[in-house]
Amino acid sequence: MSKRVRKAVFPAGGLGTRFLPATKVIPKEMLALVDKPIIQYGVEEAIASGIEHIIIITGRGKGTMEDHFDNSFELDATLERRGKKELLEVSRSVATLARISYVRQKEPLGLGHAVLCAKELVGDEPFAVILPDDVIDADPPCLRQMINVFCERGGSVLATQTVEGPGISAYGVLAGSPDPGNPRIYNCTGMVEKPRFEEAPSTQAIIGRYVLTPRVFALLEQTRPGAGGEIQLTDGIKALLKEEKVYGYTFEGKRYDAGDKFGMLQATVEFALKRPEFGVRFREYLKGLKL
Ligand code: UTP
């Protein structure tokens, strides 16, 4: 098995119910954070981390993602005719960002099932999984940090963040202990999907970035529906843990849950403040609000 991580799977076949009514017709992954669909942030992170091939798992009503990462002849021709060179460049550059393949998940049977849909395209090599609604602001990119750990240690790597209190019940949670040599690495011995607060084995919550070995596909094929009646990726990784090393990794950077209304509001404010073209004006605007 090659050690290079060349492919990234983007599960985007879910229903996005937390963001209704916006997601009744528009895929959650296409909601704009300032001026870019949230999935584009993930694609840019993958490319900046050395990924060469992106595999997006789509579903019913998700066709706009394919249009977004493709040429838009009418739009480009109009922008060209009007001499809007900068905007033309913005539109064209999205279509040339990456090599992207699409696989359709016929029914949203869960995150584990969505990842399994990429089995043939990934083949027998390690791969990344990026959940597009987790937008991560980090330098170096979160996935790059994780690939570095994978290359150094050789086992699967799950991005984590510390969650104190009952909020932990929304996540997959690791059991294990911190690595004596590197406080960012957590030596994983088990994991539980969405535990009750009192039963959470630690405060290490799994977030939307994974580097996995291809063995996980065979294990996901044997995984039965778990929490919420869905085929859970966490259950597949739990089976992997019996055969191979799995590490948690506290990434350096900040994560926003843009698939959640409040998380999207936080991301919007913080990303807007960082934009050179209007960040100063936006800061003044916020200061002027009588809060
Ligand atoms: P989420 O649980 O955050 O997404 O799954 P969801 O189900 O779309 O959203 P809510 O909870 O109803 O608001 C994490 C990621 O996994 C994908 C989702 O698209 C999301 O990017 N997913 C989930 C699939 O691709 N297929 C599934 O069957 C389930």
Side-chain angles (χ1 to χ4, degrees):
M1 184 186 75
S2 148
K3 260 197 149 187
R4 274 190 65 213
V5 183
R6 302 183 306 143
K7 301 179 184 178
V9 178
F10 282 65
L15 295 176
T17 55
R18 281 172 297 154
F19 228 118
L20 280 168
T23 46
K24 195 172 172 194
V25 176
I26 300 166
K28 161 171 81 173
E29 299 77 12
M30 287 301 292
L31 295 176
L33 172 51
V34 185
D35 55 4
K36 267 192 265 184
I38 56 175
I39 191 167
Q40 190 176 331
Y41 289 90
V43 168
E44 289 174 354
E45 176 186 334
I47 294 161
S49 303
I51 296 294
E52 295 163 12
H53 185 180
I54 290 193
I55 300 159
I56 301 182
I57 311 302
T58 69
R60 211 178 138 66
K62 301 273 183 167
T64 51
M65 279 188 288
E66 294 187 43
D67 291 340
H68 180 71
F69 291 111
D70 196 0
N71 287 315
S72 175
F73 293 108
E74 302 88 339
L75 174 66
D76 293 356
T78 306
L79 292 173
E80 197 155 22
R81 214 173 40 244
R82 293 183 183 167
K84 305 265 185 198
K85 281 194 185 143
E86 274 178 34
L87 291 177
L88 181 62
E89 184 42 38
V90 169
S91 167
R92 281 196 176 143
S93 63
V94 181
T96 53
L97 263 179
R99 177 179 167 213
I100 305 184
S101 303
Y102 300 88
V103 181
R104 187 132 165 162
Q105 185 188 24
K106 288 196 177 134
E107 235 185 298
L109 297 176
L111 179 57
H113 179 260
V115 170
L116 188 53
C117 291
K119 181 181 172 214
E120 270 75 35
L121 281 176
V122 171
D124 190 26
E125 56 181 279
F127 65 102
V129 176
I130 290 192
L131 303 194
D133 46 355
D134 268 356
V135 177
I136 298 183
D137 186 18
D139 185 18
C142 176
L143 184 60
R144 182 69 253 169
Q145 299 175 38
M146 296 170 70
I147 292 174
N148 290 345
V149 175
F150 174 79
C151 292
E152 189 190 299
R153 300 278 174 131
S156 295
V157 183
L158 322 179
T160 60
Q161 73 178 38
T162 303
V163 175
E164 310 274 1
I168 194 87
S169 298
Y171 296 87
V173 183
L174 299 185
S177 55
D179 188 84
N182 183 342
R184 290 196 173 274
I185 294 179
Y186 196 79
N187 291 309
C188 190
T189 54
M191 62 195 69
V192 193
E193 183 61 31
K194 298 188 174 62
R196 289 170 41 168
F197 170 49
E198 314 77 56
E199 287 160 12
S202 75
T203 54
Q204 295 298 298
I206 306 169
I207 57 105
R209 299 288 183 277
Y210 308 74
V211 176
L212 300 172
T213 61
R215 174 72 186 138
V216 78
F217 289 123
L219 299 168
L220 279 172
E221 275 170 337
Q222 295 158 23
T223 302
R224 306 258 58 88
E230 297 193 333
I231 297 176
Q232 296 290 350
L233 181 59
T234 315
D235 290 337
I237 301 173
K238 217 155 87 180
L240 187 66
L241 194 56
K242 295 195 180 119
E243 303 180 10
E244 298 177 3
K245 284 265 190 197
V246 176
Y247 302 99
Y249 174 71
T250 311
F251 65 96
E252 248 173 285
K254 186 160 182 189
R255 165 208 174 232
Y256 302 85
D257 181 2
D260 168 82
K261 292 173 190 174
F262 190 74
M264 180 64 121
L265 286 171
Q266 290 173 308
T268 302
V269 170
E270 294 186 36
F271 276 64
L273 284 170
K274 285 191 178 186
R275 289 289 286 263
E277 70 272 41
F278 52 67
V280 173
R281 201 170 124 209
F282 189 55
R283 187 177 307 273
E284 289 310 311
Y285 164 74
L286 289 177
K287 278 193 199 158
L289 294 175
K290 293 190 173 50
L291 300 173

